Amino acid sequence: MHHPFQIDLRNLPSEGKDITGTEPASFFGLEPQDAAQAVSPLKYELHLEKDGDEIVVTGRLEATFRLECGRCLEPFEHRLVIEDYLAEIPLESKGTINLTDTIREDTLVALPSYPRCEAGNVRPRQCPAEGKFEPAPETAAAETENAGRGVWDALNKLN
């Protein structure tokens, strides 16, 4: 069975170990209804090294995702590249460590929180909803400087 991120610490050389390869898009475990979907394999080039009571993982991660634009709600593709990946994982045992969850989570967390299709870097485009929405109105009118305590005075009168 293929487990590239399951590392046997007993056989890890003192100078560390380099691992490279790809994992299928299913590696991310995303549900079909999720707004983000992996559309390419995860490509990785990582260096693993033991440093005291932790393992340090450095390198590069890359994958392409289909995201939903937060403005127009249309799907677009975004290629995520983490050039200077760094993870420091405490060692809980002397046997093996599985980095799968760490790699998966760190990649997904690096996706944009509020994706916009104009930020897509696979097929750049202008968002079709650009300019269709007015800026949100202010929720409260600004008080003048000498307005006193304003709403707080009203609350004090209730006591």
Side-chain angles (χ1 to χ4, degrees):
M1 188 134 207
H2 175 70
H3 297 286
F5 301 125
Q6 192 162 343
I7 309 303
D8 184 351
L9 299 171
R10 297 169 295 215
N11 296 328
L12 186 64
S14 59
E15 69 276 2
K17 176 181 180 180
D18 292 324
I19 60 172
T20 61
T22 61
E23 287 297 307
S26 61
F27 167 81
F28 294 102
L30 298 168
E31 298 293 326
Q33 68 273 14
D34 288 339
Q37 293 294 318
V39 295
S40 79
L42 169 71
K43 296 177 188 173
Y44 58 91
E45 298 170 7
L46 300 172
H47 178 77
L48 315 169
E49 195 167 315
K50 190 174 174 187
D51 184 19
D53 59 349
E54 63 185 14
I55 188 163
V56 178
V57 182
T58 57
R60 183 178 194 277
L61 300 172
E62 178 183 333
T64 301
F65 292 85
R66 186 179 62 248
L67 305 176
E68 185 176 273
C69 179
R71 188 182 296 154
C72 69
L73 303 179
E74 291 184 17
F76 69 98
E77 289 186 359
H78 178 76
R79 188 175 63 115
L80 176 68
V81 178
I82 304 173
E83 290 287 349
D84 299 319
Y85 180 73
L86 170 65
E88 297 172 340
I89 301 113
L91 297 175
E92 297 174 3
S93 73
K94 302 278 187 211
T96 61
I97 185 169
N98 190 342
L99 304 174
T100 302
D101 290 341
T102 301
I103 302 286
R104 178 185 299 122
E105 290 169 11
D106 288 350
T107 304
L108 293 174
V109 166
L111 288 171
S113 299
Y114 300 99
R116 297 285 174 89
C117 58
E118 65 266 16
N121 54 11
V122 176
R123 290 178 202 90
R125 70 180 204 162
Q126 278 293 94
C127 182
E130 180 69 35
K132 289 186 177 180
F133 300 101
E134 296 292 323
E138 288 189 36
T139 56
E143 292 185 13
T144 61
E145 279 188 42
N146 57 359
R149 296 186 61 200
V151 294
W152 298 111
D153 275 343
L155 290 174
N156 287 335
K157 291 178 185 176
L158 293 174
N159 291 332

